[in-house]
């Protein structure tokens, strides 16, 4: 049978709006090919195969928790009664959806120790922004608007100081202590009557769980500040310890890391924000509540923040998190974090005799190695190793972050990877170490096996070439 041809030329009325969109394009000079359906399918399949993905390759991208996402969560998120519900439907016709959100909030409260969550923020950074706005409103409500300084460790994720700056607050950076946690003495020196908040990831971006965390949060509270927990690394702790018990007042969770949802490529995400009792009055309206008449949405209060997102938040991500929570249960979450920590420590122990591991102690879900020594010895940089790993079918770890470790590789294997995969990664790293001595040019020019080789990434961003049409 003749394959169906796609008629891609613009013969419809919408063509009249094209010049406005694309400048001087007319029907005559458009050269859109006519293609059969199999050709189109093959084209896009080929393109997708050129891409790196967690489904195709090991992806130990530190700070990103590139975990396997169970297919059942995808199936749940695609259910028409969820995916086709309209946000402006009357809530009487959305009772099942609201029930899911109600229970998801309860699960998150159970896992974190917080009193309530808002689902509005659509990413971790968005959650940070809302969390700091809640803290701001709290200080204002107590007549303490003078509090405008946010303390962040030098190992913090860039979104932390950036969020504080977006709110017009100033940032005080404190150093990392000898064992990889907050330098407590430095913290004591900077807290004061102008402290608005401390923002902290724990475990931090070095993969270190701060053993002084209770003292750290006490110091900030004693000065009248609030403690913000950046929950992006919660895959290491979920089911084992709760940020509220560590002294944090407010937190976001990256559902798109810890609670499944494919992460990467810029979205989609969800960064729900949880708070303790004293911050509850400031949460925005629209939280699901149970009433005698079924599930209803909370009203706005005079103290509450406005919305940062229309409707219910990023609903597909929320349903995946619900399905994930239901399938794991409390003990399942605990197993996830234990396994994530075990896998990271397995890699750390296997690599420590060959590579320098700064802050080399039991790590949590990730750890960093420094290639500063190799740079001096062989002229090989972290970037070169990252690119060479691609040739071996492994996605590069995060590089040059955190900023306090030079020539840094940040490795996060996640909980779902098998010992076989981890061993393959170790063997590959050892092989690459060998190449540094015997054939460093292999690393300088890597990758060799990809459709395009080493890119000048800065130039590509500044002067993108978006088509091959000359
Ligand atoms: C430690 C940490 N905090 C915050 C964020 C920001 O999260 P998002 O990318 O969802 O905005 C990330 C993201 O990778 C992170 O690793």
């Amino acid at each position: 049978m003749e394959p169906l041809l796609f008629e891609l030329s613009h013969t419809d009325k919408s063509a009249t709006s094209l010049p406005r969109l694309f400048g001087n394009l007319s029907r005559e000079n458009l050269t859109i090919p006519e293609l059969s359906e199999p050709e189109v399918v093959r084209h896009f399949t080929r393109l997708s195969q050129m891409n790196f993905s967690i489904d195709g390759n090991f992806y130990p991208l530190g700070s990103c928790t590139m975990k396997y996402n169970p297919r059942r969560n995808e199936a749940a998120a695609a259910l028409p009664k969820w995916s086709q519900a309209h946000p402006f439907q009357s809530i009487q016709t959305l009772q099942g959806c609201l029930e899911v959100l109600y229970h998801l909030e309860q699960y998150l409260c159970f896992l974190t120790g917080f009193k309530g969550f808002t689902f509005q923020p659509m990413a971790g950074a968005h959650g940070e922004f809302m969390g700091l706005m809640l803290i701001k409103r709290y200080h204002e409500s107590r007549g303490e608007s003078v509090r405008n300084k946010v303390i962040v460790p030098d190992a913090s994720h860039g979104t932390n100081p950036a969020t504080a700056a977006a709110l017009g607050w100033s940032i005080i950076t404190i150093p990392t202590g000898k064992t990889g946690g907050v330098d407590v003495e430095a913290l004591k020196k900077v807290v004061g009557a102008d402290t608005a908040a401390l923002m902290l990831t724990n475990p931090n971006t070095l993969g270190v769980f701060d053993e002084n965390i209770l003292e750290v949060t006490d110091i900030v509270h004693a000065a009248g500040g609030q403690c913000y927990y950046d929950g992006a690394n919660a895959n290491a702790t979920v089911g084992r310890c709760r940020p509220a018990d560590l002294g944090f007042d407010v937190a976001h969770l990256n559902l798109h890391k810890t609670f499944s949802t494919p992460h990467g490529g810029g979205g989609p995400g969800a960064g729900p924000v949880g708070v303790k009792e004293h911050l509850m009055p400031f949460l925005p309206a629209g939280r699901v509540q149970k009433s005698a008449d079924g599930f209803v949405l909370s009203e706005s209060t005079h103290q509450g923040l406005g919305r940062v997102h229309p409707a219910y938040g990023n609903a597909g991500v929320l349903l995946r998190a619900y399905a994930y929570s239901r399938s794991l249960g409390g003990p399942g979450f605990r197993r996830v974090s234990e396994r994530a920590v075990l896998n990271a420590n397995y890699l750390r122990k296997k690599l420590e005799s060959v590579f320098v591991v700064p802050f080399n102690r039991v790590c949590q879900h990730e750890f960093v190695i420094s290639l500063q020594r190799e740079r001096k010895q062989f002229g090989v940089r972290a970037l070169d190793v990252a690119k060479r790993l691609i040739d071996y079918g492994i996605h590069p770890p995060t590089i040059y972050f955190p900023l306090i470790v030079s020539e840094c590789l940040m490795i996060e294997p996640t909980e779902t990877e098998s010992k076989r995969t981890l061993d393959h990664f170790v063997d590959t790293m050892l092989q690459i170490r060998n190449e540094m001595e015997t054939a460093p040019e292999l690393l300088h020019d890597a990758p060799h096996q990809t459709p395009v080789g080493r890119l000048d990434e800065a130039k590509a961003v500044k002067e993108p070439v978006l088509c091959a049409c000359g």
Side-chain angles (χ1 to χ4, degrees):
M1 201 174 88
E2 269 297 290
L4 282 176
L5 286 181
F6 281 132
E7 188 54 58
L8 291 180
S9 58
H10 283 273
T11 50
D12 61 355
K13 294 196 189 74
S14 63
T16 54
S17 60
L18 279 177
R20 262 194 300 131
L21 287 174
F22 299 112
N24 191 23
L25 285 181
S26 69
R27 238 168 73 185
E28 290 67 40
N29 65 22
L30 276 179
T31 50
I32 296 176
E34 291 194 352
L35 298 163
S36 69
E37 180 168 337
E39 283 171 315
V40 174
V41 169
R42 282 174 203 140
H43 172 72
F44 285 108
T45 304
R46 235 184 340 264
L47 283 184
S48 75
Q49 286 165 345
M50 286 180 184
N51 213 351
F52 240 92
S53 78
I54 193 79
D55 290 342
N57 306 78
F58 181 42
Y59 215 122
L61 191 64
S63 208
C64 286
T65 310
M66 300 299 294
K67 62 202 276 170
Y68 168 72
N69 293 283
R71 292 298 178 270
R72 60 175 172 267
N73 299 356
E74 299 306 306
L79 288 173
K81 286 198 173 156
W82 185 270
S83 60
Q84 289 174 23
H86 194 282
F88 295 142
Q89 259 173 256
S90 75
I91 61 165
Q92 285 73 28
T93 63
L94 285 174
Q95 286 294 301
C97 298
L98 298 190
E99 187 172 353
V100 164
L101 296 180
Y102 179 80
H103 286 301
L104 178 60
E105 183 176 352
Q106 290 194 324
Y107 301 154
L108 298 188
C109 288
F110 171 77
L111 290 167
T112 57
F114 288 116
K115 179 80 181 160
F117 270 83
T118 170
F119 289 136
Q120 285 190 17
M122 290 194 291
H126 203 193
E128 288 171 34
F129 191 69
M130 162 157 279
L132 287 198
M133 287 205 297
L134 290 165
I135 291 175
K136 187 165 193 271
R137 201 150 275 203
Y138 169 76
H139 289 316
E140 283 166 1
S141 75
R142 293 157 52 90
E144 297 196 348
S145 332
V146 287
R147 293 187 178 274
N148 64 0
K149 298 220 166 32
V150 175
I151 303 166
V152 295
D154 57 3
S156 73
H157 192 259
T159 49
N160 295 178
T163 305
L167 262 162
W169 278 346
S170 41
I171 296 125
I172 302 181
T173 306
I174 51 170
T176 297
K178 285 195 182 59
T179 52
V182 167
D183 181 333
V184 174
E185 293 311 313
L187 175 66
K188 283 183 188 159
K189 284 192 194 127
V190 297
V191 288
D194 55 2
T195 302
L198 166 81
M199 293 183 92
L200 204 68
T201 320
N202 193 28
N204 64 14
T205 58
L206 298 162
V208 169
F209 186 90
D210 198 321
E211 60 219 355
N212 300 317
I213 190 63
L214 293 174
E215 188 185 355
V216 165
T217 50
D218 276 351
I219 293 169
V220 176
H221 285 146
Q226 292 281 287
C227 295
Y228 183 92
Y229 180 75
D230 171 346
N233 291 344
N235 209 43
T237 53
V238 67
R240 294 195 300 147
C241 82
R242 309 188 309 169
D245 300 334
L246 302 179
F248 290 95
D249 304 286
V250 50
H252 79 261
L253 292 173
N254 291 53
L255 293 190
H256 50 288
K257 294 182 176 189
T258 313
F259 289 77
S260 82
T261 286
H263 175 204
V273 169
V275 295
K276 280 189 172 159
E277 180 86 52
H278 64 284
L279 293 172
M280 287 294 285
F282 308 106
L283 285 181
R287 287 179 48 243
V288 180
Q289 293 173 331
K290 213 173 186 171
S291 79
D293 301 326
F295 293 98
V296 294
L297 299 177
S298 65
E299 306 278 336
S300 43
T301 63
H302 74 286
Q303 284 183 305
L305 289 176
R307 288 177 170 281
V308 296
H309 180 274
Y312 302 99
N314 214 343
V317 181
L318 300 178
L319 191 63
R320 286 180 182 89
Y322 174 83
Y324 190 62
S325 306
R326 289 300 299 257
S327 55
L328 285 179
F333 273 112
R334 190 186 176 93
R335 278 198 302 279
V336 163
S337 60
E338 283 172 351
R339 183 72 185 261
V341 171
L342 182 65
N343 278 2
N345 279 290
Y346 182 75
L347 289 184
R348 181 181 63 81
K349 288 304 285 178
K350 287 277 182 182
L351 294 175
E352 69 179 1
S353 57
V354 180
F355 295 102
V356 172
V357 180
F359 306 100
N360 194 5
R361 46 183 291 204
V362 172
C363 66
Q364 297 298 310
H365 62 308
E366 65 192 2
F367 65 103
V368 294
I369 62 180
S370 167
L371 296 180
Q372 195 181 17
R373 189 180 61 188
E374 286 75 5
R375 185 178 180 179
K376 281 196 191 122
Q377 274 181 311
F378 311 114
V380 165
R381 306 190 58 209
L383 178 71
D384 302 325
V385 173
K387 298 292 183 194
R388 186 65 178 142
L389 277 166
I390 298 173
D391 283 336
Y392 288 101
I394 293 174
H395 192 281
T398 297
I399 52 174
Y400 300 113
F401 176 68
L403 304 176
I404 55 173
V405 175
S406 54
E407 294 300 330
C408 177
L409 287 182
M410 185 194 214
I411 300 165
E412 180 181 5
T414 79
E415 72 281 1
T416 39
E417 298 299 343
S418 68
K419 181 168 175 297
R420 200 170 33 247
T421 302
L422 302 184
D423 285 337
H424 173 65
F425 176 68
V426 171
D427 291 346
T428 309
M429 286 296 287
L430 299 184
Q431 167 76 21
I432 291 175
R433 176 65 181 70
N434 193 32
E435 288 172 359
M436 288 180 195
E437 289 183 45
T438 54
E441 66 286 351
L442 269 181
L443 279 92
H444 293 141
D445 300 340
H448 304 276
Q449 313 289 341
T450 45
V452 287
R454 181 81 63 106
L455 299 174
D456 179 343
E457 284 159 24
K459 189 171 159 74
V461 171
K462 286 189 180 147
E463 297 164 32
V465 180
L466 297 178
C467 76
C469 38

